[in-house]
Amino acid sequence: MTDILAVADHRRGELRDVSYELLTAGRLLADETGGDLHVAVISGTVEDFASKLDREGVDVVHTVDYGEEFNHGVYAQAITQLYDRLAPRYVLTPNSVNGLDYAPAVATTLDVPIVTDVVGLETDGETLTATREMYGGKVETTTELEGPAVVTIRGAEWPAAEGTGDAAIEPADVTIDEDALGSTVNGFEEVAGGDVDISDADVLVSVGRGIEEEENLDLVFDLAEALDATVSASRPIVDNGWLPKNRQVGQSGKVVTPDVYIAIGISGAVQHVAGMKGSDTIVAINTDPNAPIMDIADYAIVDDLFDVVPALTAEFS
Amino acid sequence: MKILVTVKEVATVDDEFEIEGTEIAERYLGADLNEWDDYAVEEAVQLQEAGIADEVVTVTIGPEDCEQTIRQALAKGADRAIRVWDDALEEINLLDVGAKRDLLGAVIAEEDPDLVLTGVQSGDDNFGATGVSVAEALGYEWAAVVNHLEHDFEDGTASVRRELEGGVEELTEVELPAVLTVQTGINEPRYASLRGIRQAQRKELDVVGLADLGIDAAAIEPELSLTDMYEPESESDVTVWEGDAEQTATELADLLRDKGVAQ
Ligand SMILES: Cc1cc2nc3c(=O)[nH]c(=O)nc-3n(C[C@H](O)[C@H](O)[C@H](O)COP(=O)(O)OP(=O)(O)OC[C@H]3O[C@@H](n4cnc5c(N)ncnc54)[C@H](O)[C@@H]3O)c2cc1C
C-alpha cells in the first residue's frame, strides 16, 4: 500500500483553495511512498471539478456524481469504498469544517488512526511523522504513527498545485446507501452584513479577549475615533455579544486587507490569522512576547494594552 | 430526553514557559474547563430548563485532579457526572482520538442518551475529531461545528446550523440520536451561582475504570505517539519597540503618521 488518496473540498459550485493545496501535500507524500496520487471529488459538478483538479502530479481523479452539496454520509461512504478498492496508505482531507464532519467517521469505519490540523508531513513509507500545534499555537509538536491513516491538513500551509496534468478521470464505482444518510442539508445563509463593512476599511483597530470586559471596549472605540479607523474583533468578543458578527475577523468571519491592522489583546490563533494576514502593516499590542500574533506582526508593543492604548489615543487628541 | 455532555479539563499555559521533553513543565500549567465544552454544557442545561431534557449527564476522561472542573459543570446545572480513569491511562503522553472514542463510546453506549453534545475541539491537543468519531462508532448521526440548535426536535430530528468558513452557515437536519459538536457563540455560558456550587458538591460523581467499561488496556493503547515538542520557530522579523507605554505609544504614533493614518 503506497498510494495516497486526497479528497477535494468544494462549496456552492466552487472548489475551495485548500483542494489545490491538498494536491501539493498529496504529491509530496506520494513521492515519499513511491506511489500514485489519487484524488476524489464527491457531489456537485464533478466533471467540471475533475478537469480543474487535473493539475501537475495528479495520477487519477475519481468522480462520485451524487447530489449537489456536501453530505457527510455520502462522503464517508464514497471514501471508505474507494479506500477498500485502492488501498491507499494515507487519506488526506482538508482540516475544514466539512473535513472535520466526515474524516473522523472515515477513520473510525476503516479502523485507522486520524491526525488532524497537520501543518507538516513526512514519511519513510513506514512511519508517518506529522507536525501539528497544541495549546492554541504556543507549541509545535511532532507525532508519529505506523500504518495507514487519515490525515487532515491545515489550509495555506502548502502551496497550491499548478499547471495542467494528464490524470485519468474516472467515474468511481461506488454505491451510496441512501437509507444510511441520516442528515440533510436544507440550505445556506450568509451571516448578516450589518452597518459596517470591515473589509472596506483602510485602518482597523481590532480587539481581542485581552480587553477583559465589555466596558473596556470604550478604550478601543476612543482610539478608533482618534485615528478615524474602524473597530473589528476576534471571535470571543463577538461570541460574548459585545460586538456584532459582522465585525469578526477570521476563518468564520471576514477576510480583511487594510493598510494597517492593529491587533490589541489578540493571540493570533490560526483561525483569526486566516482573516487578516493579508493586511499591509500589522501591529500587535500584547503582553505575551511569544503570542503567535508576533510571527506575522511587523511591529509590536509587548506591554499592557490598558497602558498603551490610552497613551496612543492621547497622541492623536 | 437524556443528554450527555463530554467535559474536558484542559491545560492552560502561562505566557512564559519551558518545555521538558514532550511536555510543558508542570509549573507553567493551569487547568480550566475546555472553552468549547462550556458552551456544550450551557446548551444542555438550557434544554433542561426548557423542559426538553430530563437529565444531563457529563462524562470526562481524567485523573482525580480534574474533579474540580467536573464540579464546575455540575454547578452550572448538569445532574450527575461520570469520570473515566485508570492506571493504564497514567502513562500515556497523548491520548489519541481512537482511544478517546473507545472510552467515551463505552460510557455513551451504557448511558444510551438521545443527544450527545461535545465541544468542537479541545484547547490543548486540538484534535477536533472525537465527537464525530464517537458518533460513527455508535451508529449515531452527527453534525460538526454547530452554532445554533432548534429546541423543538420535531419528528425526532435536530435542526442545526453548522458554521462554515467565510461567514456562511449551513442549515441541516440530523436524525436523533445524534452527536453535535458545539461551536462557541451558540449561547452565553453562565457563571455558576453560589447555590449551584454548593449543590454541585452533593451531586453524584461516578468513577469508572477500564474493567467497568469492559475495555482492555491494549485496546486503547494510542496509535499516535508524541515524539517532540518545541516552541515554533518564528520566521518573523517583527520590530519590537522598547520602553514604557508612553515611549512605545509615541513610536507607534509616528509610524501611523508616516503611513498617513490620522495627524
Ligand atoms: C472552527 C473554528 C473557527 C474559528 N473562527 C474564528 C474566527 O473567524 N475569528 C477568530 O478570531 N477566532 C476564530 N476561532 C477561535 C480561535 O481559535 C481563537 O479562540 C480566538 O481567535 C482567540 O481570540 P483572542 O486572540 O481574542 O483570545 P485569546 O486567545 O484568549 O488571546 C488573548 C490575548 O490577549 C493577550 N492579553 C491579555 N491581557 C492583555 C493585556 N492586558 N494587554 C495586552 N494583551 C493582553 C494575551 O496575551 C493573549 O495573547 C475559531 C475557532 C474554531 C475552532
Side-chain angles (χ1 to χ4, degrees):
Chain A
M1 295 206 296
T2 52
D3 292 352
I4 307 298
L5 175 62
V7 186
D9 227 18
H10 59 86
R11 190 194 303 157
R12 298 161 106 185
E14 299 222 20
L15 283 166
R16 304 191 60 236
D17 292 346
V18 68
S19 299
Y20 300 113
E21 296 157 18
L22 203 62
L23 301 183
T24 304
R27 186 65 251 168
L28 290 171
L29 267 189
D31 286 345
E32 288 169 4
T33 61
D36 286 344
L37 174 59
H38 294 260
V39 177
V41 59
I42 303 165
S43 306
T45 52
V46 289
E47 289 295 321
D48 171 47
F49 291 151
S51 62
K52 291 185 174 135
L53 289 164
D54 179 12
R55 296 201 171 176
E56 228 165 282
V58 178
D59 295 297
V60 191
V61 184
H62 304 269
T63 58
V64 179
D65 190 4
Y66 188 98
E68 275 314 299
E69 285 296 344
F70 176 77
N71 174 296
H72 61 228
V74 174
Y75 270 62
Q77 290 186 33
I79 297 163
T80 48
Q81 288 174 47
L82 275 170
Y83 183 94
D84 287 341
R85 255 211 2 258
L86 303 169
R89 183 139 183 111
Y90 305 119
V91 177
L92 293 192
T93 85
N95 194 72
S96 56
V97 169
N98 282 346
L100 288 174
D101 198 43
Y102 67 82
V106 170
T108 297
T109 307
L110 299 176
D111 197 21
V112 300
I114 181 167
V115 49
T116 59
D117 204 14
V118 166
V119 298
L121 275 175
E122 229 177 274
T123 181
D124 58 9
E126 287 302 315
T127 306
L128 182 78
T129 306
T131 307
R132 46 196 310 282
E133 292 177 352
M134 279 174 56
Y135 304 108
K138 287 202 165 184
V139 300
E140 211 163 86
T141 63
T142 55
T143 46
E144 288 186 1
L145 60 91
E146 310 293 324
V150 174
V151 179
T152 78
I153 69 160
R154 180 180 288 181
E157 292 292 327
W158 282 268
E162 309 221 342
T164 33
D166 52 1
I169 295 177
E170 296 178 1
D173 179 19
V174 301
T175 42
I176 303 297
D177 175 2
E178 264 185 60
D179 295 337
L181 302 177
S183 77
T184 323
V185 177
N186 292 325
F188 299 93
E189 222 171 88
E190 310 268 350
V191 178
D195 50 336
V196 190
D197 189 356
I198 57 171
S199 47
D200 270 353
D202 295 330
V203 184
L204 283 173
V205 173
S206 206
V207 55
R209 184 144 47 193
I211 199 75
E212 289 173 8
E213 306 274 344
E214 185 170 14
E215 297 79 74
N216 300 337
L217 283 182
D218 287 349
L219 285 180
V220 177
F221 276 99
D222 289 348
L223 175 61
E225 199 183 316
L227 296 178
D228 195 16
T230 304
V231 173
S232 60
S234 69
R235 179 170 192 130
I237 302 300
V238 173
D239 283 345
N240 286 343
W242 298 350
L243 283 175
K245 182 86 184 170
N246 62 331
R247 303 271 187 154
Q248 182 180 316
V249 172
Q251 175 189 305
S252 46
K254 293 230 160 129
V255 174
V256 297
T257 50
D259 300 333
V260 180
Y261 187 89
I262 309 180
I264 302 175
I266 294 178
S267 62
V270 57
Q271 296 93 347
H272 184 79
V273 169
M276 47 66 78
K277 60 175 187 286
S279 306
D280 242 14
T281 301
I282 298 170
V283 183
I285 302 175
N286 198 308
T287 42
D288 179 2
N290 303 314
I293 191 84
M294 299 298 171
D295 291 345
I296 56 155
D298 300 292
Y299 300 91
I301 296 175
V302 178
D303 204 346
D304 195 325
L305 71 90
F306 295 104
D307 297 329
V308 177
V309 173
L312 185 57
T313 307
E315 285 273 347
F316 293 96
S317 312
Chain B
M1 170 186 259
K2 180 173 176 177
I3 303 181
L4 191 136
V5 189
T6 60
V7 166
K8 184 176 182 185
E9 181 181 281
V10 295
T12 54
V13 184
D14 293 348
D15 284 353
E16 303 279 347
F17 62 89
E18 285 167 39
I19 295 169
E20 286 171 359
T22 54
E23 286 172 12
I24 292 174
E26 193 80 34
R27 59 189 180 281
Y28 303 104
L29 295 177
D32 207 351
L33 170 59
N34 181 39
E35 183 179 356
W36 286 267
D37 296 349
D38 195 14
Y39 288 80
V41 169
E42 177 64 33
E43 198 65 17
V45 171
Q46 287 189 11
L47 282 161
Q48 191 183 43
E49 289 169 345
I52 295 159
D54 311 311
E55 194 183 22
V56 176
V57 185
T58 69
V59 55
T60 302
I61 304 171
E64 198 176 347
D65 280 356
C66 67
E67 290 196 354
Q68 48 175 338
T69 296
I70 298 174
R71 296 276 175 208
Q72 265 186 58
L74 291 172
K76 291 176 183 224
D79 297 304
R80 64 185 168 89
I82 300 167
R83 178 169 72 81
V84 181
W85 197 241
D86 203 282
D87 291 344
L89 294 168
E90 208 95 43
E91 305 300 311
I92 295 172
N93 74 352
L94 182 68
L95 202 60
D96 66 14
V97 174
K100 286 185 212 173
R101 172 192 65 216
D102 292 350
L103 294 168
L104 297 173
V107 173
I108 295 167
E110 177 75 29
E111 290 284 330
D112 195 26
D114 304 285
L115 190 64
V116 177
L117 301 178
T118 78
V120 162
Q121 62 176 30
S122 49
D124 48 7
D125 62 23
N126 180 40
F127 278 121
T130 305
V132 173
S133 272
V134 167
E136 176 67 28
L138 296 178
Y140 277 42
E141 253 307 314
W142 74 86
V145 194
V146 168
N147 71 344
H148 180 79
L149 167 65
E150 291 293 334
H151 283 192
D152 52 19
F153 301 102
E154 264 178 51
D155 307 327
T157 60
S159 298
V160 304
R161 283 170 180 256
R162 294 182 57 232
E163 186 193 74
L164 306 179
E165 294 86 356
V168 178
E169 297 183 345
E170 182 196 273
L171 313 174
T172 301
E173 296 205 336
V174 186
E175 286 173 14
L176 296 183
V179 178
L180 308 178
T181 79
V182 171
Q183 173 66 308
T184 60
I186 190 173
N187 53 39
E188 260 181 66
R190 69 194 67 196
Y191 291 98
S193 64
L194 275 173
R195 191 162 151 262
I197 293 168
R198 268 201 312 274
Q199 283 175 343
Q201 295 308 321
R202 292 194 301 272
K203 289 183 179 171
E204 189 183 328
L205 199 168
D206 277 343
V207 184
V208 295
L210 294 183
D212 304 307
L213 297 173
I215 294 179
D216 191 61
I220 53 138
E221 189 68 23
E223 294 171 286
L224 238 60
S225 59
L226 194 59
T227 48
D228 199 6
M229 181 182 286
Y230 46 87
E231 289 195 48
E233 217 169 281
S234 173
E235 289 151 28
S236 114
D237 38 15
V238 59
T239 305
V240 180
W241 289 306
E242 307 285 345
D244 64 20
E246 261 78 47
Q247 289 166 317
T248 54
T250 304
E251 298 269 17
L252 175 50
D254 288 345
L255 173 86
L256 293 174
R257 287 192 192 99
D258 278 356
K259 302 257 172 211
V261 178
Q263 292 311 314

